[in-house]
Amino acid sequence: MNDVDSERIAVNGQRLWDSLMELAKIGATPKGGVCRLALSDLDKQGRDLVTGWGKAAGLSVTTDKIGNVFMRRAGKNPSLPPIVCGSHIDTQPTGGKFDGNYGVLAGLEVVRTLNDKGIQTDAPIEVAFWTNEEGSRFVPVMMGSGVFAGAFTLEHAYAAKDVAGKSVGDELSRIGYVGDEEPGKHPIGAYFEAHIEQGPVLEDAGKTIGVVTGVLGLCWYDCVVTGMEAHAGPTPMALRKDALQIATKIMQETVAIAHRYPPYGRGTVGFVQCFPNSRNVIPGQVKFSIDLRNVDNERLDAMDKEIRAFVEKTAKESGLGITIEQVSYFPPCPFEKGCVEAVSNGAKRFGYSMMDAVSGAGHDAVYMARLAPAGMIFVPCKDGISHNEIEDAKPEHLEAGCNVLLHAMLDRAGLAK
Ligand code: HGY
Ligand code: MN
Ligand code: MN
């Protein structure tokens, strides 16, 4: 046991790639992407496949009440808190093979490699996947890890509904993943998440590993503009209460605010519902999402104030009813220095090119960082594209990131003496 030179062990990149391609078959789309929405039948199939692989690798599986799953490899010292890695396996409707899935299967590959080499760690190792990271079908975003970290209550999460009116509580129990464990009552010694960058910086710089120093803060809002449905023909322009025309002003301002707070300012409107959505009816109501992000609290707070002020001014000027409700929020999140160093040391050990990176995307690691030292490993994705069915990554980059994950985990878990 442990007679292997742990400095040199490396993962099996082909096995990692094959497991990614196998999981990607669940919810595969014609354009080569994956649509596996949180708590759908496909999510259940993905969960069953991954937990089946975990059990086959000798892991013991526990699930908590919001459906977060933990797959545990015993360490020599069971009283030590586990070193946890993972990510999510739910995807966007036009998602890719790698977003989230990579971090979970890289964790599984770490376990399979330790098994192959007969290595026993001092602390236990766990591979986790978190419920509804994407926040696409159900809001808030990063739901499972957020409940785990106490950012919002289990009841709040259970009550969340999708556009068809189905609730998280009902859907989670329908797929059979309401576990016994109280969310958060699960020790975490440290947490690492491997993820594709989902942006162009690493590829542009020709680097293999992104040593993630932190994550942008995020504010999500639901904005509803209420006017009056009327006939598109007889209604003079000056007498309309056109909800869509007013909504578009707020949508434009969302983007304008992001441009006013560079370089990390982000403003996006991705979800729009127009009622009654008929070509010859002046829209009576429009509901849309607003996603604002930035790298520090000052800028994010300023962006929040500006969008709220603009909504208030627009309501006054237009006379239409406008509501704006914050539905997700987390502040900018720096990662713990020791974990950041463990990641860069792992990259150095293999001689991988690397650079510091700030994550524009939110990740479950943001909530884990509230509970324990946490860090992330980025690898490039093709043309920096993600949340798109054409999302792609190179096997050698995915393998490199997994090697760094392996050594960062060993750095924290220690080898059994
Ligand atoms: O929205 C995000 O940043 C993540 O993909 N859920
Ligand atoms: Mn993700
Ligand atoms: Mn995503």
Side-chain angles (χ1 to χ4, degrees), residues 88 92 99 133-135 141-142 198 218 220 291 293 330 360-363 387:
H88 60 95
Q92 289 286 335
D99 176 0
E133 187 280 342
E134 291 292 3
V141 69
M142 294 138 56
Q198 301 182 290
L218 168 150
W220 277 11
D291 177 326
R293 305 189 193 207
F330 55 80
H363 299 285
H387 284 192

Side-chain angles (χ1 to χ4, degrees), residues 74-88:
K76 184 168 184 210
N77 188 339
S79 63
L80 288 175
I83 306 306
V84 182
C85 60
S87 192
H88 60 95

Side-chain angles (χ1 to χ4, degrees), residues 2 48 114 124 131 156 167 184 224 264 316 326 355 369-370 381 386:
N2 289 353
D48 293 349
L114 294 175
T131 294
H156 178 78
S167 74
V224 182
Y264 288 105
K316 268 199 201 96
Q326 193 174 85
M355 64 186 283
R370 296 187 182 184
C381 55
S386 181

Side-chain angles (χ1 to χ4, degrees), residues 143-168:
M143 180 182 275
S145 53
V147 171
F148 187 90
F152 25 84
T153 65
L154 184 61
E155 292 64 35
H156 178 78
Y158 277 166
K161 286 191 167 53
D162 66 8
V163 287
K166 291 185 179 169
S167 74
V168 164

Side-chain angles (χ1 to χ4, degrees), residues 192-408:
F192 290 97
E193 183 165 352
H195 208 288
I196 52 169
E197 179 203 338
Q198 301 182 290
V201 174
L202 286 178
E203 184 181 63
D204 188 50
K207 304 289 183 190
T208 301
I209 297 293
V211 181
V212 188
T213 55
V215 182
L216 298 189
L218 168 150
C219 284
W220 277 11
Y221 309 84
D222 280 347
C223 192
V224 182
V225 178
T226 305
M228 170 73 79
E229 294 97 282
H231 199 302
T235 315
M237 295 310 285
L239 300 179
R240 296 176 172 215
K241 293 186 176 176
D242 186 334
L244 186 54
Q245 288 309 306
I246 298 304
T248 51
K249 291 177 189 287
I250 300 169
M251 293 175 189
Q252 295 291 322
E253 183 66 10
T254 297
V255 171
I257 290 172
H259 283 297
R260 291 201 287 270
Y261 290 90
Y264 288 105
R266 306 283 189 268
T268 312
V269 175
F271 172 89
V272 182
Q273 282 180 319
C274 177
F275 177 81
N277 212 24
S278 169
R279 66 184 65 245
N280 51 358
V281 177
I282 299 165
Q285 188 170 74
V286 173
K287 177 177 179 183
F288 60 96
S289 63
I290 294 174
D291 177 326
L292 295 178
R293 305 189 193 207
N294 217 317
V295 72
D296 59 43
N297 278 315
E298 296 68 38
R299 289 184 180 88
L300 195 56
D301 289 349
M303 293 168 79
D304 173 69
K305 284 191 178 61
E306 290 201 19
I307 194 68
R308 290 176 187 279
F310 187 82
V311 163
E312 201 176 325
K313 178 168 110 14
T314 307
K316 268 199 201 96
E317 287 167 359
S318 67
L320 269 62
I322 309 179
T323 61
I324 180 167
E325 183 203 352
Q326 193 174 85
V327 292
S328 271
Y329 166 74
F330 55 80
C333 165
F335 286 134
E336 190 253 0
K337 291 237 174 312
C339 286
V340 173
E341 219 170 284
V343 170
S344 71
N345 291 340
K348 275 182 206 134
R349 186 164 294 168
F350 285 85
Y352 296 137
S353 60
M354 67 173 131
M355 64 186 283
D356 283 1
V358 172
S359 175
H363 299 285
D364 297 304
V366 165
Y367 285 129
M368 289 309 106
R370 296 187 182 184
L371 307 171
M376 286 191 77
I377 300 134
F378 269 177
V379 294
C381 55
K382 191 169 180 314
D383 303 331
I385 296 291
S386 181
H387 284 192
N388 184 319
E389 293 164 271
I390 64 168
E391 180 188 277
D392 199 3
K394 287 184 179 158
E396 58 272 27
H397 286 159
L398 299 168
E399 178 176 353
C402 193
N403 277 325
V404 173
L405 178 66
L406 168 66
H407 284 270

